[in-house]
Structure formats: structure tokens, C-alpha cells
């Protein structure tokens, strides 16, 4: 039973990272009590204590502010029950209930994380639970405790491994059904990655993280590195300090409403041109609905929202890795005719503030003959006045941040350049907007995919030009062209600030790079093929394997696989032979009887060996001694097995030789 | 009376007949495919519930790993059937014999269990329902002997009813079992009365009749004595009469006077079983007192003797009195 407790701890451990902290002391107290019961130092808690514990648990649950019904609440409740149950494990039946809840919890944890490490840990939990299940069912007296634990665990490993082929076949063939009802997944999961607002300094924070944002596999040619602008959000509204999507904050539902009404996707407003780029992206769990695509994504597969700014957005905040298949046409002209609503959004400025910048814009615009020349002048200014691209820009205060950057500090990250550029455009009457997302990515040659990390976060701009629609302008390239050509690491190399805070990052150790990329490739394969295996993938896979998808064909195929696995099991368990191998003494005795039968002494089925020996000896006096000895040795092996049966078996063989 | 019970009985009889045919009795039986039955246990139903719940969870959250756990458990449930079945397959049961006992006591069957060379067997359960059960593992030992007891009612032969061999190993999610009819029988002696009727067994050889000769006592002639009225003519020592003119009776008396006879006919009480019980008690008592005794039953006489073998012979005669041997 102590192993049951150990298994419970193994199962509960990973939850501690996701669930309220007060669970830990409760679980520790329960485990401690259980240990004392097992040691005989305490008795099973009485009903009063149990009620008290349940009350404490429920109270904690209510106080911890978990929403009902939510996954967190369900998991916490189940975990409490799981722990408390150990206080009243008396019989085998109770132990089995605990183990079954344990199996359930192992699976439940995958709703929190589906990473490869979590999956491997889950496998360990499965082995431990199964081993304990075997141990609970029967005690083998011949084994010491240590022996039986090792034996049970090894058996569990063998059994679970032998289950893998069948599990995979069921996984591939089991029908995938659409969700039946919806439970809010996690309450208050952290958000990571890009947010829907941009103040100076925001994107630098992302620039210092080497967490993965998403991975992309291209079908066909991969665009050049400097063309990889992964658009997330368009930020239209500037309040003098911060860039936001709209003039006020929208929550997810308001945003969805906007994306379905006035801010909706209107494909007729673009003229598709140029070469397509087809790709599949798998986004990491971010707790946010933003998806990142090469703009504009013309064809998109999956249940997503799209907006007037050519964004692609998930229906819900991502609580699990999300797969998107898209085809983009980067050369497409967008909004050659600009709706008034969007024009207004793209020209809005705060009524006051940043006077110097406004004056600069008007002066430069007057000097420039055309909008294009004006744009070039502004970009040239960044370059000529020795603006600096840095991950550690000085803080700018709350007021006149554009002025502060353009005229005083002249040191900034992409957000500073994009924000001030759009400000200068708008101040000169040119519709412009900030785009945030990621730029570039790391090519993984081992896995043939692009990995985009948080440090690839980037902000750039779109300017609306008559006759051309929205044109992408990245003011950062004016100061640090290497940012776009080679990535952030190269761009801030001189400064030495790349991932300066993460001393232990594997990225810092070039000799580990190969291993890191291989590992990442495995994880990506995991994401795409295991976690991403849904109804569409299933249909695609079966189609490619079977041609068409008639029910009969699929059933036949699956049936064949099941039969093959059944056969594999029979073979693996050594059950396919017709005759079970006999113990050597029984085989020799059978031959002995056959040999004697040839000489006329036939043994009737019911004859005991002793009685038969007597008869046979009478019948064959010449062999009487041999027969008697053979029988004696044989009975000796059967009824008082010697430590080493081989000596006796050899003797039987010698004697048998004499009879023949 | 009730036709329902009749039908049930008929069905039961039919099932027994089928089982007997499928599982013929023999002294040694090796369990193979044909003989092993297997079904999922109640525990398995619980696990099926867990699997179904997990499948729902997988559907609802579209979570591949939850699906995987659910399918993995399902596969485990199925694989386990093979494991449980294998744990029983190839097991050989050999009846070693049934120790004799007295009616009403427990008859003890000794069975040798042996496993195939390359397999070890765990948690095998042998049981007579409601009587006795024993659990054994065959790990280091190739063969083990186990004893099972079964209550007896009357004297005669005890034929062990079908023995259930079962296992739930390894996970308890399936139960494999087989019935074994072992072709073995044991003696059940009559139930000895607590205190035997006194005069019985005190009778001397003097009252013997021809029956004694049959018993082979004639060759053990030991002497003569004076003729007494009533001595049979065959017993008269004619040679001595010729010599002395006096009637002498050949004596087996010196010899027989120390012998005790347990004679069925001398028992005053009625009833076969009662008489047998009394005789049984006397046999035990005489054996205990290390005396020499013989047994006379209608149709069977056991000459006086002593010792374990003699006691066993006498008790067997009592046990099988009137029983048609097979």
C-alpha cells in the first residue's frame, strides 16, 4: 500500500505547477497521515476528521476563486478526492478506485500541457499506476517487497509497450467527433507573446525571451528571410504613449463582433497577385487568440476569424497548440480603394503633444514632392542622424514620447521606429498604421521548418499610397538592415545584449546547437503529427493510405491491423505453439512409458507411477531394477523437487537409454 | 413440483454433461485452449467506465493525448486477457490421491501443480466452492503439491467434485478459469461412535464355527484340549482318540483365545451404519491398545492381525461394506 501512495504522489506532482498553491500543504498532510497509518503509528481518520478535511478542501476551493465549472475547479476537486481517498484505503477495492482515478488524472493533466516532456512523464505515471495495480491484485509470497515492486514495474513496462501498436491503430482509426459541449478550459492562464497594445519598451521584453512562438512548414519554396513578415495585429490608435487596436479597449467578444461587422474581412478589396506561399503553422499555447501569417493570407483552413486589416485570429485564446494551414500571396494589392472608416483610423492622432515631431513632419512633407519621396526622407533621416538600434533603449517618460525619441535619445527598438514613423506619416496626412508580429525565424535544417521565437517579435508599418494600397515599410531596416536579413542576434551583436538575461540558454552554447535543433525538430513532429491529428488529418492520412474512404475498405484495413496485432501478441507471449513445453521429467516419463509399452507393459491412464512400476517390473523382470530406479527418481523430482533438477534429469536419461 | 426448478435442474444437468464432455476426468490434466474460459471481471467494467469518460474528455477538448491514454487503457484491457489466459494455459494438475478419512470429516485431496518449463505462473487459485481454496505461485518450483479439503457425508468412496482452477493475474481485469475433474477417489471410513458397545469383541474363539477354518486358521494348529459338549466333529482330534480312546478337541484356542473378533453378527443393535460405526470404533480402540483382532462381516472375514496395514484393511472393509466397487 505504500507503493500506492508513491504512485499517487507521482500522479499529483505535475498538477502542483498548474493548480492553486494551497493544495500542496493539504496533499502533504494527507500523505503524512497515510504514512503514519501504514507505519501503524496512527489509525485511519475517523468520520469527523474526514468531514473536516473535506470541508477544508471545499472551503479552499471556494476561496481560491476558481470559476465553476472550469477545468481548474474540476481538476482541483478530483485531486482532493484522489488524495483524501488514500485516507480510507482499506480494501483492495479502494486501492483500485484510487488507481483508476489516477489514470484519469494522468490524462487530465494533458489538458494543461501537451509538451513532449509532459507526455513522457505521463508514460512514467502510467507505468507506475499499472505496476501498482498488479501489486494490489495479488501478493506473491515468494518475492521480497523490493523484488515484487521491480517485478511489477517491469511487467507494467512490458505490457504497456505491447499495447502500443494497438493503441496507435485505434488512435489512427477511431472516429473523431466534434466537441459535444464546452467547458471553459483554464481559468486565468498566463498570456505570453505578443499583446494587443504596444508602448515603447513592450517589444524589447519579448526580444529578451527565447521561448518558441510558432513553427512553420512551407509547402514548396521558402521565401527569403527578409520577406518573412508574420503579421499579427494592426494597431491603429495612438494615445500619445501607447498604440492600441482601436480607440477603446475591446474584449474578445466585442472584437469578434467588430470582426464580423464593420471591421470584417472583405476579400473583394484585394487583388491577388504574384506567387503563392503555402505553409502550415503550429502556434504554441499563448493564452491569446492572435495568429501570425504572411499578409495577406488568401486561403485559410480551419475555424478562424479574419479582419479588414487582413489579420487571421483564432476563435478563442489558445489554450493548446493550434494548427493553421494557409496560402498567402505577399504581392497582392490590398485596399487600393480605402474605405473611409479605415482611412479615419489610419490618420488619427492625439490632439496635442509631440509638437516638434508634427512640425518636422509638415516641414519634410512640404520639401518632398511626393508621398514616396517623403517616406524616403524620413527613413533617410533615421539613417543619417545615426539613430541606434538597441535592445536596451532609455526610458522616455509618459509625455511626448515621439519627440523624446526622435530628437533626444535617438536610441530605440523596433517599436520606437515603427511608432514614430507612423506618427510622422499621419502628421503629414498619409494614412499609416503599426503592424506587430514576428519577423524572420530560425531555419531548422534537421526538421525542415522555420522556428519563430519571441525574440523575433517585431513592429513595422503599413502606409497607404494612392494606386498601390497598403505598402509595408519597415523603418527598422533604415538603422539596422541586419535585423531583417540575419535576425536580432546579428543586429545587436555589437551591443552583446541578445538574450543577455538568460545565461543558461542552450542558444548561448554553439556546440549544443545541433542537439538543440534536433530536439526541437522532434518536438515539432510531436506537435504536428500527434497533437495535430484531428478529423481532417485523419481523413487525409486514410485517403493517402487507402485511396478512397469507403466504410468497408477502412473497416477491412483496420480489421487486418487488429488481427495482425492479435497475432503479434500471441507470438510475443509464446502462446502460438500447439504444445506447451513439458517439464523435462514429464517428457522423459512419457518416453519411458512409451518404451515400456513397446515391450508389452502398458500403463493405464489412471495408474500411479509407483503401481505401474510394480506391474512393469513383474512383466519385465530383466529391467525391474531400472524401472524401479527410474520411477523413484521421477517421483523424487515431482514430489520433492531437488534444488538442481538437472542432475536427476540426466540420470533419467541414462536410465531411459538402458530400457531402449 | 415447480417446473421452473425442473427446467433449471435440467439445464444444470445439461451444462454439467457438456462440461464433463469438454473436460474429461483424468488423473492428470493439462489446461489448454479448449479447457480455459475467460471473461472480463467487475474491475474491468470500472476501467471501461474510465476509458469512456476519457474518450468523452478527448472529444470535448479535442486533445490527442487524452485520446491516447483512453486508447492505451483499452489496449491494456485487451492485452491483459491474453496475459491472464496464458497464466493458466499449460498448467498441469495431477491428482496425487485422497487421504482416507472418517465420514463427516474433511477429505483431503493432494494435487500436484506443474508449469511448463519456460513459464512461471502466479496467483493460481484452486477452489471447491464453499469448501476450501488455496492460492499458489509456481515461480522457482516447477511442481508444487497442494492440499484441499472437502467435507464428506457418508462412508464409501469420496470422489472429488470438479475443482475450479482460476486466476486473475496480472491486473485483475479478467478472470480465467477451468474446471478439472480429477479421476481419483479416497476412502471414507464410517464415522466411529464415541463409545463402543462393550461385550462386542470379547467373544472367544471357543464359539468359533467353520468360519474360522476359512480364515486359514487350520494350518496353525497348536494343541488339543478335553472335548466339551458342543465341539464340532471336525475339531475332534481323531488320532488322539485312537490312541487314548478319549475325545480331544483340536485347539486353536490357545492361539485364538488372545485374538479378538469383531463380529457383525454379534452386534445387538440394528442398522447397518450403526453397526459399522461401532465396529469402526472398536477397530480404532484395539489398534490403539495394540491388540490382535480380526473382523467378520457378512461375506468378508479378515483374519486377526495388528499394525497400521491391518487397521487400514479393516477400515477399508468397513468403508466399502455394501458399496459396489468401481
Amino acid at each position: 500500500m505504500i507503493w500506492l501512495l508513491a504512485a499517487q504522489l507521482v500522479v499529483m506532482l505535475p498538477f502542483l505547477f498548474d493548480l492553486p498553491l494551497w493544495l500542496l500543504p493539504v496533499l502533504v498532510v494527507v500523505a503524512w497521515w497515510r504514512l503514519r497509518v501504514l507505519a501503524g503509528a496512527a489509525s485511519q481518520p475517523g468520520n469527523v476528521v474526514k468531514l473536516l478535511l473535506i470541508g477544508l478542501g471545499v472551503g479552499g476551493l471556494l476561496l481560491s476563486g476558481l470559476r465553476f465549472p472550469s477545468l481548474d475547479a474540476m481538476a482541483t476537486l478530483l485531486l482532493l478526492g484522489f488524495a483524501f481517498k488514500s485516507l480510507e484505503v482499506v480494501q483492495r477495492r479502494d486501492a483500485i478506485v484510487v488507481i483508476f482515478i489516477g489514470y484519469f488524472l494522468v490524462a487530465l493533466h494533458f489538458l494543461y500541457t501537451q509538451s513532449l516532456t509532459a507526455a513522457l512523464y505521463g508514460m512514467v505515471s502510467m507505468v507506475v499506476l499499472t505496476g501498482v495495480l498488479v501489486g494490489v491484485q495479488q501478493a506473491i509470497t515468494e518475492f521480497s517487497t523490493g523484488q515484487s515492486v521491480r517485478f511489477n514495474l517491469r511487467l507494467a513496462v512490458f505490457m504497456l509497450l505491447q499495447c502500443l501498436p494497438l493503441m496507435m491503430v485505434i488512435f489512427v482509426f477511431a472516429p473523431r467527433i466534434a466537441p459535444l459541449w464546452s467547458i471553459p478550459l483554464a481559468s486565468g492562464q498566463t498570456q505570453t507573446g505578443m499583446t494587443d497594445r504596444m508602448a515603447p519598451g513592450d517589444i524589447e521584453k519579448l526580444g529578451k525571451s527565447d521561448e518558441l512562438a510558432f513553427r512553420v512548414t512551407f509547402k514548396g519554396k521558402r521565401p527569403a528571410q527578409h520577406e518573412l513578415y508574420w503579421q499579427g495585429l494592426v494597431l491603429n490608435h495612438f494615445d500619445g504613449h501607447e498604440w492600441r487596436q482601436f480607440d477603446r479597449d475591446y474584449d474578445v467578444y466585442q472584437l469578434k463582433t467588430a470582426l464580423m461587422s464593420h471591421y470584417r474581412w472583405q476579400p473583394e478589396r484585394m487583388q491577388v497577385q504574384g506567387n503563392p506561399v503555402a505553409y502550415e503553422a503550429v502556434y504554441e499555447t499563448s493564452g491569446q487568440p492572435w495568429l501570425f501569417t504572411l499578409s495577406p493570407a488568401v486561403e485559410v483552413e480551419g475555424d478562424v476569424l479574419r479582419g479588414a486589416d487582413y489579420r487571421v485570429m483564432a476563435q478563442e485564446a489558445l489554450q493548446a497548440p493550434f494548427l493553421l494551414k494557409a496560402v498567402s500571396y505577399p504581392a497582392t494589392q490590398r485596399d487600393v480603394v480605402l474605405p473611409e472608416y479605415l482611412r479615419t483610423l489610419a490618420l488619427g492622432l492625439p490632439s496635442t503633444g509631440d509638437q516638434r515631431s508634427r512640425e518636422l513632419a509638415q516641414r519634410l512633407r512640404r520639401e518632398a514632392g511626393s508621398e514616396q519621396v517623403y517616406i524616403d526622407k524620413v527613413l533617410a533621416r533615421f539613417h543619417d542622424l545615426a539613430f541606434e538600434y538597441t535592445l536596451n533603449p532609455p526610458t522616455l517618460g509618459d509625455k511626448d514620447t515621439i519627440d523624446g525619441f526622435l530628437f533626444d535619445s535617438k536610441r530605440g527598438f523596433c517599436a520606437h521606429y515603427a511608432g514614430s514613423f507612423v506618427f510622422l506619416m499621419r502628421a503629414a496626412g498619409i494614412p499609416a498604421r503599426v503592424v506587430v508580429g514576428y519577423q524572420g525565424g530560425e531555419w531548422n535544417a534537421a526538421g525542415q521548418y522555420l522556428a519563430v521565437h519571441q525574440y523575433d517579435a517585431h513592429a513595422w508599418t503599413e502606409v497607404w499610397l494612392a494606386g498601390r494600397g497598403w505598402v509595408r515599410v519597415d523603418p527598422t531596416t533604415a538603422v539596422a538592415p541586419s535585423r531583417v536579413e540575419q535576425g536580432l542576434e546579428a543586429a545587436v551583436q555589437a551591443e552583446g545584449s541578445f538574450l543577455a538575461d538568460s545565461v543558461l540558454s542552450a542558444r548561448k552554447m554553439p556546440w549544443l546547437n545541433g542537439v538543440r535543433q534536433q530536439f526541437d525538430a522532434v518536438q515539432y513532429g510531436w506537435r504536428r503529427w500527434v497533437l495535430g491529428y484531428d478529423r481532417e488529418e485523419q481523413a487525409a492520412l486514410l485517403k493517402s493510405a487507402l485511396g478512397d474512404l469507403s466504410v468497408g475498405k477502412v473497416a477491412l484495413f483496420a480489421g487486418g491491423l487488429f488481427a495482425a496485432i492479435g497475432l503479434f501478441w500471441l507470438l510475443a507471449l509464446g502462446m502460438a505453439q500447439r504444445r506447451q513445453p513439458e517439464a523435462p521429467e514429464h517428457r522423459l516419463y512419457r518416453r519411458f512409458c512409451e518404451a515400456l509399452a513397446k515391450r508389452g507393459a502398458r500403463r493405464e491412464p489412471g495408474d500411479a507411477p509407483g503401481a505401474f512400476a510394480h506391474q512393469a517390473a513383474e512383466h519385465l523382470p530383466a529391467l525391474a531394477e531400472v524401472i524401479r530406479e527410474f520411477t523413484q527418481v521421477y517421483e523424487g523430482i515431482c514430489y520433492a523437487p531437488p534444488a538442481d533438477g538437472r542432475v536427476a534429469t540426466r540420470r533419467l536419461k541414462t536410465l531411459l537409454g538402458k530400457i531402449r | 413440483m415447480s417446473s421452473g426448478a425442473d427446467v433449471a435442474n435440467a439445464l444444470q444437468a445439461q451444462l454439467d454433461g457438456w462440461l464433463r464432455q469438454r473436460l474429461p476426468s483424468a488423473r492428470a490434466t493439462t489446461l489448454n485452449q479448449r479447457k480455459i474460459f475467460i471473461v472480463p471481471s467487475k474491475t474491468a467494467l470500472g476501467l471501461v467506465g474510465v476509458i469512456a469518460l476519457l474518450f468523452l474528455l478527448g472529444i470535448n477538448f479535442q486533445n490527442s493525448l487524452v485520446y491516447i491514454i483512453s486508447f492505451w487503457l483499452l489496449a491494456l484491457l485487451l492485452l491483459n486477457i491474453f496475459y491472464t489466459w496464458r497464466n493458466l494455459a499449460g498448467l498441469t494438475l495431477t491428482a496425487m490421491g485422497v487421504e482416507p478419512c472418517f465420514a463427516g470429516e474433511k477429505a483431503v485431496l493432494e494435487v500436484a501443480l506443474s508449469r511448463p518449463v519456460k513459464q512461471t505462473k502466479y496467483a493460481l487459485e484452486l477452489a471447491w466452492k464453499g469448501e476450501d481454496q488455496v492460492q499458489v505461485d509456481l515461480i522457482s518450483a516447477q511442481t508444487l503439491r497442494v492440499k484441499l479439503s472437502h467435507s464428506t457425508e457418508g462412508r464409501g468412496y469420496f470422489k472429488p467434485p470438479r475443482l475450479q482452477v482460476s486466476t486473475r493475474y496480472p491486473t485483475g481485469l479478467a478472470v480465467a478459469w477451468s474446471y478439472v475433474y480429477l479421476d481419483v477417489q479416497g476412502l471414507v471410513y464410517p464415522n466411529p461412535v464415541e463409545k463402543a458397545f462393550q461385550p462386542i469383541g470379547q467373544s472367544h474363539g471357543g464359539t468359533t464355527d467353520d468360519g474360522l477354518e476359512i480364515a486359514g486358521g487350520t494350518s496353525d494348529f497348536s494343541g488339543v484340549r478335553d472335548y466339551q459338549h458342543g465341539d464340532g466333529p471336525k475339531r475332534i482330534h481323531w488320532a488322539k482318540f485312537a490312541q487314548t480312546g478319549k475325545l480331544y478337541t483340536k485347539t486353536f484356542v490357545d492361539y485364538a483365545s488372545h485374538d479378538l473378533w469383531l463380529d457383525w453378527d454379534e452386534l445387538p443393535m440394528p442398522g447397518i451404519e450403526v453397526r459399522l460405526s461401532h465396529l469402526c470404533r472398536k477397530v480404532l480402540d484395539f489398534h490403539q491398545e495394540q491388540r490382535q483382532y480380526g473382523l467378520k462381516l457378512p461375506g468378508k472375514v479378515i483374519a486377526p492381525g495388528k499394525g497400521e496395514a491391518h487397521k487400514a484393511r479393516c477400515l477399508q472393509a468397513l468403508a466399502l461394506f455394501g458399496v459396489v466397487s468401481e
Side-chain angles (χ1 to χ4, degrees), chain A residues 201-270:
Chain A
D202 279 357
I203 294 192
E204 291 100 278
K205 276 183 215 138
L206 289 180
K208 288 171 183 168
S209 158
D210 65 345
E211 252 181 70
L212 188 74
F214 56 95
R215 299 187 183 90
V216 186
T217 312
F218 293 98
K219 291 175 184 160
K221 207 168 159 286
R222 169 166 62 112
Q225 197 73 9
H226 66 267
E227 288 164 10
L228 296 173
Y229 279 88
W230 303 101
Q231 175 193 332
L233 296 169
V234 166
L235 306 181
N236 284 302
H237 182 76
F238 184 57
D239 62 0
H241 174 71
E242 201 177 45
W243 290 87
R244 280 180 289 165
Q245 298 194 69
F246 303 103
D247 50 355
R248 56 188 182 83
D249 274 332
Y250 283 10
D251 65 24
V252 181
Y253 297 100
Q254 289 167 324
L255 188 58
K256 274 184 168 179
T257 316
L259 288 177
M260 283 184 272
S261 54
H262 58 278
Y263 207 61
R264 72 182 180 280
W265 150 259
Q266 290 171 303
E268 65 279 7
R269 289 203 277 110
M270 62 181 184

Side-chain angles (χ1 to χ4, degrees), chain B residues 138-198:
Chain B
L138 285 171
I139 304 168
S140 55
Q142 184 84 43
T143 303
L144 273 181
R145 294 169 97 166
V146 295
K147 287 182 176 175
L148 277 156
S149 59
H150 192 285
S151 58
T152 53
E153 280 172 5
R155 65 183 177 86
Y157 284 114
F158 166 70
K159 292 209 168 92
R162 68 180 187 202
L163 184 62
Q164 181 180 293
V165 195
S166 63
T167 187
R168 287 167 171 262
Y169 183 82
T171 60
L173 295 172
V175 194
W177 81 95
S178 183
Y179 293 117
V180 177
Y181 294 94
L182 288 170
D183 188 12
V184 67
Q185 56 192 17
L187 286 170
V188 180
Y189 303 143
N191 180 22
V193 291
E194 229 148 84
K195 212 163 163 43
F197 174 70
Q198 270 314 310

Side-chain angles (χ1 to χ4, degrees), chain A residues 458-535:
Chain A
H458 194 50
W460 62 95
T461 69
E462 281 174 352
V463 178
W464 188 85
L465 297 176
R468 292 175 63 190
W470 292 108
V471 176
R472 184 181 68 225
V473 178
D474 185 355
T476 305
T477 52
V479 266
S482 57
R483 165 64 185 87
V484 172
E485 297 293 338
Q486 290 157 39
L488 180 64
E489 187 171 11
V492 296
Q493 196 169 32
E495 195 177 64
S497 57
F498 182 69
L499 298 182
D501 297 338
S502 30
V503 183
L504 286 176
S505 167
R507 219 167 289 277
K508 287 285 180 68
M509 305 169 199
W511 50 276
L512 263 180
N513 250 358
V515 179
R516 182 178 59 78
Q517 286 220 346
Q518 286 286 356
F519 184 64
D520 198 61
V522 171
Q523 284 196 314
Y524 182 49
W526 174 252
R527 280 269 187 283
R528 276 193 65 194
W529 300 117
V530 180
L531 307 187
Y533 189 79
D534 56 11
R535 218 176 339 169

